Amino acid sequence: MSIITEQLTFHSEKLNLLPTHHYGGRPACTTTDAMHMLTYQIKDAWRKRRVTSVLFLDIEGAFPNAVNERLIHNMKKRRVPTALVKFTKNLLQDRFTMLKFDDFTSERIPIDNSIGQGDPLSMVLYQYYNADILDIPAGSNESAMAYVDNAILIATGENFIETHQTLMNMMTRPNGALDWSKDHNSRFKFSKLALMDFAHRNNKKERRPMTLFNTVISPVKSAKYLGVFFNQHLDWGTQCNYALEKGTKWASQIRQAAAPSWGITPKHAQQLYRSVAIPRTLYMQPMILTDFHNSWVNRWGESLLCHGPADVGRRRRFFRYSWASRCRPGAEAIFRSHFLRTFPDDFNPSGGSDIINPVRMEHVNSCRLDLVGHLCNLVRTEQVNSCRPDLVGHLCYPE
């Protein structure tokens, strides 16, 4: 199965069979790339004195509800090699399952639909299954992105009334999102659709609810997408608070595990802290830390990259100091468990150790370089090529 997955992925990337903004399960198409592309589109509209509305779609039972015939049709339409199409067709035929409860085992139940989850091929197959949803945008003010089964529709306009109308048009027009939902047996749960209106904090344009098939969708101030909290001003305040809460949780757990009498050794406590606590807490730090500087201010007193107030760098310092204070229990666990019997109150290892406080300027610069690498690898669209020199130059020379 892994060999077939490698072959299908190779042909998909070499022949550009999948849409450009389809992320996840593809080489060099990570959550970081999806986040940066979404953020760039929003801030690019802000630079043009426009606003952006994003509709986060919720698909019920994405993998189990997939129709095999539609998947084969999509693969043929996107010119997947015939041998791979035949293999996929034979793979999805004559399948069955059985239910077992205690001593009871049911008869064989045939499986007509669904893409099996868990195997390496499932991710690539579902990319072809829902790739048509990214072909819905038809104008320069419309866009769409997807990370496996997490799809979003993006509309840009002069005001939110215009963007809401664009989103409703993308949903209801022929061959739109609703038609895709019916054809692919992938229903949208309207009660869980999230609408967010992105505008600069100095922009006072009114945010009104959007009505879609007798369902009123009110704009939300923050929404979680791919594990990161986006808010309507893109200041990452909600995400920073969420990261600090996770840091406190992990620090307290490490403190309990590193008890002096029976706990783990300082070496293993430090390894646990570095390999588990820091990566999980500082998830998407290249996304957040690269926005925390105040260089290249335009005549309106706004940063050209983050499009926020000129003193937005103070939030970075606040996050660093808050992170240091929240991680003090973990620092105490590592240093006190075996090295120190007493821990003075004025000793603060979290502020002076790179082990405890990883949010330093060298890490911020490293995040910028990682972002530069991601932008240089995204060469499939003219949009990225046009924005790359400004972003790369700004990230490489922030001061």
Side-chain angles (χ1 to χ4, degrees):
M1 193 66 68
S2 299
I3 298 177
I4 300 299
T5 304
E6 293 179 1
Q7 290 292 325
L8 183 56
T9 302
F10 171 77
H11 289 289
S12 301
E13 300 301 324
K14 181 180 180 179
L15 304 177
N16 295 325
L17 304 180
L18 290 171
T20 304
H21 291 170
H22 208 324
Y23 301 92
R26 303 174 60 185
C29 291
T30 62
T31 54
T32 305
D33 300 317
M35 296 292 181
H36 280 302
M37 181 55 64
L38 174 60
T39 306
Y40 166 75
Q41 292 187 10
I42 296 172
K43 293 179 179 177
D44 184 63
W46 291 359
R47 296 185 187 98
K48 300 175 183 178
R49 298 295 181 240
R50 310 184 78 186
V51 295
T52 302
S53 294
V54 178
L55 184 62
F56 299 88
L57 304 178
D58 184 82
I59 303 175
E60 295 186 73
F63 284 84
N65 293 334
V67 181
N68 300 338
E69 290 76 8
R70 174 60 64 173
L71 171 62
I72 300 302
H73 169 75
N74 290 354
M75 295 179 69
K76 292 180 179 179
K77 183 177 68 172
R78 296 189 177 274
R79 300 181 180 181
V80 177
T82 306
L84 296 175
V85 175
K86 290 183 178 180
F87 177 86
T88 304
K89 184 177 180 179
N90 295 332
L91 178 67
L92 299 178
Q93 286 180 348
D94 301 329
R95 295 181 300 163
F96 65 91
T97 186
M98 293 185 298
L99 302 178
K100 185 175 182 180
F101 301 98
D102 297 332
D103 297 334
F104 170 78
T105 303
S106 67
E107 300 292 335
R108 290 187 175 185
I109 303 174
I111 300 177
D112 298 329
N113 294 335
S114 80
I115 299 174
Q117 291 181 263
D119 60 280
L121 191 59
S122 60
M123 292 279 287
V124 186
L125 293 181
Y126 194 80
Q127 289 174 353
Y128 282 96
Y129 187 76
N130 72 339
D132 291 347
I133 200 173
L134 300 183
D135 297 333
I136 295 176
S140 58
N141 296 333
E142 302 176 359
S143 180
M145 293 175 55
Y147 188 91
V148 192
D149 58 337
N150 298 296
I152 59 175
L153 299 179
I154 308 171
T156 305
E158 299 296 333
N159 51 63
F160 292 119
I161 298 178
E162 179 182 347
T163 57
H164 291 180
Q165 186 62 37
T166 303
L167 290 176
M168 288 189 291
N169 186 25
M170 295 172 66
M171 290 288 293
T172 59
R173 67 190 178 200
N175 297 325
L178 292 180
D179 287 350
W180 176 90
S181 175
K182 295 177 182 178
D183 296 338
H184 291 75
N185 192 31
S186 301
R187 296 184 301 173
F188 297 129
K189 196 167 185 178
F190 290 96
S191 61
K192 291 188 177 181
L193 295 181
L195 172 66
M196 183 172 294
D197 295 330
F198 292 93
H200 188 263
R201 61 176 63 252
N202 296 331
N203 193 324
K204 304 302 181 182
K205 293 182 180 179
E206 183 180 2
R207 294 175 169 86
R208 296 182 178 181
M210 184 179 69
T211 303
L212 187 63
F213 286 97
N214 299 326
T215 301
V216 179
I217 306 175
S218 300
V220 296
K221 294 184 179 180
S222 63
K224 193 175 184 180
Y225 179 64
L226 299 181
V228 176
F229 283 96
F230 281 75
N231 56 13
Q232 58 188 5
H233 300 309
L234 286 184
D235 56 7
W236 309 111
T238 307
Q239 176 62 25
C240 289
N241 295 332
Y242 177 69
L244 291 176
E245 291 179 2
K246 293 179 65 176
T248 304
K249 177 182 176 181
W250 279 104
S252 61
Q253 291 179 353
I254 293 177
R255 184 177 185 178
Q256 295 177 2
S261 58
W262 54 269
I264 59 178
T265 62
K267 176 181 178 181
H268 292 92
Q270 177 181 337
Q271 184 178 3
L272 179 65
Y273 186 84
R274 276 186 162 181
S275 60
V276 180
I278 291 179
R280 293 198 176 187
T281 305
L282 297 184
Y283 170 64
M284 289 303 296
Q285 66 170 348
M287 185 74 184
I288 300 174
L289 297 181
T290 51
D291 277 355
F292 288 172
H293 58 82
N294 54 359
S295 57
W296 282 26
V297 178
N298 60 17
R299 60 178 179 176
W300 293 284
E302 300 165 351
S303 175
L304 294 181
L305 180 64
C306 66
H307 213 286
D311 59 349
V312 72
R314 289 183 297 183
R315 194 184 310 115
R316 180 189 66 202
R317 295 190 293 271
F318 171 77
F319 180 73
R320 288 177 56 191
Y321 296 145
S322 299
W323 168 263
S325 62
R326 298 293 182 91
C327 293
R328 181 180 174 86
E332 293 179 359
I334 296 175
F335 282 87
R336 181 194 290 176
S337 57
H338 291 271
F339 292 120
L340 302 176
R341 293 183 178 274
T342 60
F343 205 84
D345 294 336
D346 58 349
F347 180 63
N348 184 16
S350 60
S353 175
D354 194 35
I355 300 174
I356 308 303
N357 185 17
V359 188
R360 294 176 172 271
M361 281 306 303
E362 52 266 26
H363 290 82
V364 176
N365 295 331
S366 176
C367 293
R368 291 195 181 110
L369 294 178
D370 292 342
L371 175 56
V372 170
H374 283 298
L375 292 175
C376 292
N377 289 330
L378 295 176
V379 296
R380 288 187 287 265
T381 60
E382 296 180 357
Q383 183 182 19
V384 178
N385 291 332
S386 62
C387 77
R388 189 193 307 155
D390 296 337
L391 286 178
V392 170
H394 186 51
L395 292 171
C396 290
Y397 308 99
E399 300 301 334

